[in-house]
Amino acid sequence: TSDIKSIFVITEQTAYIVTSSGSIYITNNAGNNWTQVYSNSEYALYNIDFFDSLNGTAVGENINTMAGIVLVTTDGGSTWVNKASGSTLAFYAVNMVSANIIYATGSLGTIVKTSDGGVNWTALTTGTFNELRSIYFTDENTGYVSGTAGTVIKTTNAGNSWVTLSTGNFNTLYNLKVVDNVIITVGYYGTILK
């Protein structure tokens, strides 16, 4: 038995989930039936994101080595290709800014970025060693990340530099979204911050 770690909804009918046992499932009938489209028992997958109906990315870790895993699809989830990011640390979150620009966040302040759909990756300097659990870009330049110890960081230059935003909180922040320039993050012990 595995945990469902993340869901991404494409339409009212189509959605994807990833599991802690390294599987990706799709539904095309609003969740009535789910079909496994990828499986690797050596992986734990934690997050999935799509830019459009064809281009998606799932991230996690190799359970034997703890190295980050990035799986990319360009055909709506029919096939998933492992894209070597060079990270030896687990990934917990992913955000697709475009079909080619992808960010993944993870252990020890790790953020990696690709601008070519996963062929080449660059490790970004974040200024934190906390686990980074969520990432959300509002446009190609402006992005936000949340994580352990109340961490929220922001970039306005496509990840080239990051600044720490004070939250006044030390709980793990598992998810973050931005709506009308308001940052909303949620986490441990029922934490909701904006």
Side-chain angles (χ1 to χ4, degrees), residues 2-51:
S2 64
D3 295 329
I4 297 170
K5 292 297 195 175
S6 180
I7 185 169
F8 191 88
V9 178
I10 301 285
T11 67
E12 289 181 9
Q13 297 295 312
T14 303
Y16 297 84
I17 58 173
V18 294
T19 72
S20 60
S21 61
S23 294
I24 302 173
Y25 293 85
I26 185 176
T27 181
N28 286 308
N29 59 7
N32 291 311
N33 303 98
W34 292 87
T35 303
Q36 187 178 66
V37 292
Y38 181 87
S39 181
N40 186 328
S41 62
E42 292 185 357
Y43 295 169
L45 299 175
Y46 301 127
N47 196 234
I48 188 166
D49 191 37
F50 273 74
F51 174 69

Side-chain angles (χ1 to χ4, degrees), residues 23-189:
S23 294
I24 302 173
Y25 293 85
I26 185 176
T27 181
N28 286 308
N29 59 7
N32 291 311
N33 303 98
W34 292 87
T35 303
Q36 187 178 66
V37 292
Y38 181 87
S39 181
N40 186 328
S41 62
E42 292 185 357
Y43 295 169
L45 299 175
Y46 301 127
N47 196 234
I48 188 166
D49 191 37
F50 273 74
F51 174 69
D52 55 30
S53 63
L54 295 176
N55 297 283
T57 306
V59 296
E61 68 181 314
N62 181 309
I63 60 173
N64 298 313
T65 66
M66 311 272 193
I69 298 299
V70 179
L71 302 171
V72 173
T73 183
T74 57
D75 58 11
S78 296
T79 58
W80 293 85
V81 178
N82 191 341
K83 298 290 188 173
S85 70
S87 176
T88 58
L89 301 169
F91 292 128
Y92 300 121
V94 62
N95 188 218
M96 295 189 72
V97 179
S98 72
N100 290 315
I101 301 172
I102 307 165
Y103 293 85
T105 66
S107 296
L108 295 176
T110 299
I111 301 179
V112 296
K113 174 186 178 181
T114 182
S115 297
D116 55 17
V119 176
N120 298 290
W121 293 86
T122 302
L124 305 177
T125 302
T126 62
T128 183
F129 289 103
N130 294 328
E131 288 184 355
L132 301 178
R133 293 293 189 149
S134 182
I135 184 167
Y136 184 81
F137 270 74
T138 57
D139 58 46
E140 285 196 11
N141 291 310
T142 307
Y144 302 83
V145 174
S146 66
T148 57
T151 300
V152 175
I153 58 176
K154 176 183 179 180
T155 183
T156 55
N157 57 13
N160 291 317
S161 63
W162 297 84
V163 296
T164 300
L165 303 181
S166 176
T167 63
N169 189 289
F170 294 98
N171 292 330
T172 297
L173 302 173
Y174 288 110
N175 207 334
L176 177 143
K177 296 293 183 214
V178 179
V179 179
D180 296 329
N181 294 318
V182 176
I183 305 165
I184 303 167
T185 185
V186 297
Y188 206 55
Y189 294 118

